[in-house]
């Protein structure tokens, strides 16, 4: 039963049994090759393992199925950022914040992408948004630091 496999894959993922979860996810994909839920788990595992090319493959498959999916646009932005492909990262992260304007992590990374291309005004606006959305979280604290540290620069 595919539902039981989905529950198992999610439980394994939450318990950080990533290799087991990947095996379960691969089994699910033999039964349903279009499972967005499974692509989500696989993508997150490969991102955690810093296997960005593998994560990219599954995220791209998912975006083909659901182009407006916030999570996969965010993951693709994150992966491209990690690979220093900032222009691609910006495109996906802008989609993520368009689909969910309260996605503070997407705003946060988007700020760094803009900063990497010396677009300091847009970077500053992104970090202001992060502070507005998540002042006390790690990204919010770092964004506040960036805003204060680079006041003269930005």
């Amino acid at each position: 039963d595919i539902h039981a496999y989905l529950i198992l894959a999610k439980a394994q993922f939450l318990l950080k049994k990533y290799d087991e979860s990947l095996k379960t996810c691969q089994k699910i994909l033999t039964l349903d090759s279009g499972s967005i839920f499974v692509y989500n788990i696989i993508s997150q595992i490969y991102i955690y393992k810093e296997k960005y090319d593998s994560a990219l493959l599954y995220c791209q498959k998912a975006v083909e199925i659901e182009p407006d999916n916030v999570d996969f646009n965010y993951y693709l932005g994150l992966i491209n950022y990690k690979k220093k492909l900032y222009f691609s990262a910006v495109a996906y992260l802008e989609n993520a914040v368009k689909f969910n304007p309260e996605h503070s992590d997407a705003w946060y990374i988007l700020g760094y992408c803009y900063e990497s291309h010396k677009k300091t005004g847009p970077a500053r606006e992104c970090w202001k948004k992060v502070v507005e959305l998540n002042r006390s979280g790690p990204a919010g604290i770092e964004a506040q630091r960036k805003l204060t540290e680079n006041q003269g620069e930005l």
Side-chain angles (χ1 to χ4, degrees):
D1 174 49
I2 195 166
H3 187 67
Y5 281 120
L6 290 168
I7 293 169
L8 177 61
K10 183 65 174 184
Q12 291 165 327
F13 172 76
L14 292 173
L15 293 170
K16 297 184 179 177
K17 295 181 177 183
Y18 298 136
D19 292 333
E20 292 174 34
S21 185
L22 280 173
K23 287 178 188 170
T24 304
C25 287
Q26 293 301 334
K27 172 68 175 168
I28 295 167
L29 291 176
T30 64
L31 303 170
D32 177 9
S33 64
S35 176
I36 292 292
F37 181 80
V38 172
Y39 288 142
N40 193 327
I41 293 173
I42 294 172
S43 298
Q44 287 184 66
I45 290 170
Y46 283 132
I47 290 169
Y48 291 144
K49 290 181 160 218
E50 297 183 1
K51 294 184 177 182
Y52 299 122
D53 290 334
S54 297
L56 191 64
L57 174 73
Y58 286 97
C59 286
Q60 287 171 332
K61 287 181 183 182
V63 167
E64 288 173 14
I65 297 167
E66 282 187 26
D68 295 347
N69 185 296
V70 174
D71 292 331
F72 290 110
N73 277 280
Y74 168 69
Y75 297 152
L76 285 166
L78 175 64
I79 292 164
N80 281 289
Y81 171 76
K82 294 284 189 178
K83 293 178 75 165
K84 299 184 186 329
L85 301 170
Y86 301 118
F87 287 114
S88 295
V90 166
Y92 287 113
L93 293 166
E94 285 179 345
N95 278 343
V97 298
K98 178 176 78 174
F99 302 141
N100 179 3
E102 296 186 7
H103 198 303
S104 62
D105 290 337
W107 284 110
Y108 179 71
I109 295 168
L110 187 56
Y112 277 99
C113 290
Y114 285 138
E115 182 183 53
S116 73
H117 288 287
K118 310 259 187 262
K119 294 185 176 183
T120 53
R124 188 169 180 79
E125 291 307 310
C126 289
W127 290 323
K128 283 181 184 177
K129 188 72 174 174
V130 173
V131 170
E132 173 189 319
L133 294 170
N134 190 11
R135 177 176 295 278
S136 61
I141 292 167
E142 177 63 16
Q144 287 178 60
R145 187 188 67 72
K146 291 292 288 180
L147 287 167
T148 304
E149 168 187 289
N150 298 321
Q151 236 171 358
E153 233 177 273
L154 298 172

